[in-house]
Amino acid sequence: MIFKMENVNLVYDIGKEMQTYALKDINLSIDGNRLIGIMGPSGGGKSSLLYALAGFKIPTSGEVYYEEKDYSKISTAKSADIRKKEFGFIFQRHFLIDYMTVLENVLVPINNDSSEAKNKAISILKELGLEHLINKKPYQLSGGQRQRVAIARALITDPKVIFADEPTAALDHKSAIEVMNFLENYKKDKLIIVVTHDSSILKDADYIINMMDGAIESIDNKKGGIL
Ligand SMILES: Nc1ncnc2c1ncn2[C@@H]1O[C@H](COP(=O)(O)OP(=O)(O)OP(=O)(O)O)[C@@H](O)[C@H]1O
Ligand SMILES: [Mg+2]
């Protein structure tokens, strides 16, 4: 199992009159390599689930394991090290650096501009259909192209898991589908977890976890097999 959550609650405003359960009694096991969607209304707990799996948010009660390691039992340095080496992140905003070229942006996570590193970045950019844009700056690209650069940047460390929080929310439908199609290619050898409001971009998801008021309301199993 890559991830396991046992009886996880994430509660805000403890001690106050009204508490919010960002996560409520979550039990979940996730194995790779597959594409998993997390859906639900605003405030339903989608981002909380993603960031709890990534070890950014430590739950109020319950355990979250990544490859048998309990985040609450390892140091914050170790947990940060796992994120740096084994996880890639893509957000709604691309967070590319405007004064750097596309190629330089992709190299940021590895802080290495050797020709070997550059060749690796170029080959990833090629897979994402961006080889003609490597020397452009982010502001010279379309929104969809910028998100594809953000995917390349997430892939440069060869992560085992890609976490994406509303990666296509700022894009028009056509660019959103295109970005998702590129992202899906990587599920052959990675676990990809995508939060979205838009079910149409999850046509090729293996599972969709539906969140409501912090709880898992249902899990759609679209391709058979176990989660
Ligand atoms: N730091 C915080 N302090 C207090 N409440 C919080 C905090 N972070 C999240 N919450 C609450 O937890 C609940 C779940 O939030 P979360 O961000 O996980 O929802 P979401 O499904 O990602 O929503 P959206 O689609 O709007 O991004 C919400 O009610 C939110 O207000
Ligand atoms: Mg969110």
Side-chain angles (χ1 to χ4, degrees):
M1 236 10 110
I2 297 188
F3 291 105
K4 199 169 166 71
M5 291 183 127
E6 285 179 341
N7 308 315
V8 167
N9 290 284
L10 178 64
V11 190
Y12 289 108
D13 297 329
I14 292 172
K16 293 200 187 142
E17 209 172 309
M18 269 289 285
Q19 285 140 31
T20 305
Y21 278 78
L23 294 175
K24 195 170 191 175
D25 203 21
I26 306 279
N27 287 284
L28 184 64
S29 296
I30 303 178
D31 220 343
N33 300 321
R34 58 201 59 179
L35 173 63
I36 294 182
I38 302 176
M39 291 215 42
S42 183
K46 304 180 296 297
S47 297
S48 299
L49 184 64
L50 196 78
Y51 297 120
L53 287 169
F56 276 120
K57 292 196 182 194
I58 299 296
T60 316
S61 62
E63 285 81 44
V64 183
Y65 299 89
Y66 168 65
E67 292 189 330
E68 265 84 69
K69 293 178 280 286
D70 181 342
Y71 285 120
S72 69
K73 300 220 166 73
I74 59 178
S75 66
T76 51
K78 173 74 188 158
S79 146
D81 197 50
I82 290 174
R83 281 190 289 279
K84 189 171 159 204
K85 294 194 176 128
E86 303 190 31
F87 299 165
F89 293 90
I90 304 164
F91 304 96
Q92 177 171 344
R93 290 208 48 235
H94 52 79
F95 296 116
L96 298 173
I97 300 166
D98 254 344
Y99 65 82
M100 289 183 168
T101 64
V102 162
L103 181 59
E104 287 163 349
N105 265 285
V106 173
L107 292 170
V108 164
I110 53 173
N111 192 23
N112 178 342
D113 63 357
S114 67
S115 55
E116 197 189 345
K118 279 185 185 156
N119 287 336
K120 181 174 176 187
I122 291 168
S123 88
I124 296 170
L125 285 162
K126 251 189 197 152
E127 288 168 7
L128 291 160
L130 296 168
E131 66 271 32
H132 58 302
L133 298 173
I134 57 171
N135 293 317
K136 298 270 187 222
K137 303 275 172 67
Y139 57 81
Q140 299 174 298
L141 310 183
S142 71
Q145 288 167 340
R146 284 196 286 260
Q147 277 307 62
R148 274 144 63 196
V149 177
I151 295 174
R153 183 186 50 187
L155 289 166
I156 192 73
T157 57
D158 292 320
K160 289 190 193 167
V161 185
I162 299 260
F163 290 103
D165 194 356
E166 313 249 17
T168 65
L171 304 178
D172 62 73
H173 185 69
K174 188 169 158 275
S175 315
I177 298 284
E178 198 177 60
V179 164
M180 275 309 291
N181 286 341
F182 278 110
L183 192 54
E184 273 156 23
N185 285 336
Y186 295 96
K187 77 173 190 179
K188 288 187 291 287
D189 60 357
K190 294 180 197 311
L191 170 61
I192 302 177
I193 306 182
V194 180
V195 167
T196 180
H197 280 98
D198 179 5
S199 63
S200 70
I201 67 157
L202 290 176
K203 281 196 293 290
D204 287 314
D206 298 276
Y207 296 87
I208 296 179
I209 300 172
N210 297 296
M211 302 286 298
M212 177 75 96
D213 296 333
I216 295 178
E217 200 183 41
S218 61
I219 297 178
D220 303 331
N221 176 349
K222 313 227 298 177
K223 307 259 165 95
I226 53 158
L227 184 64

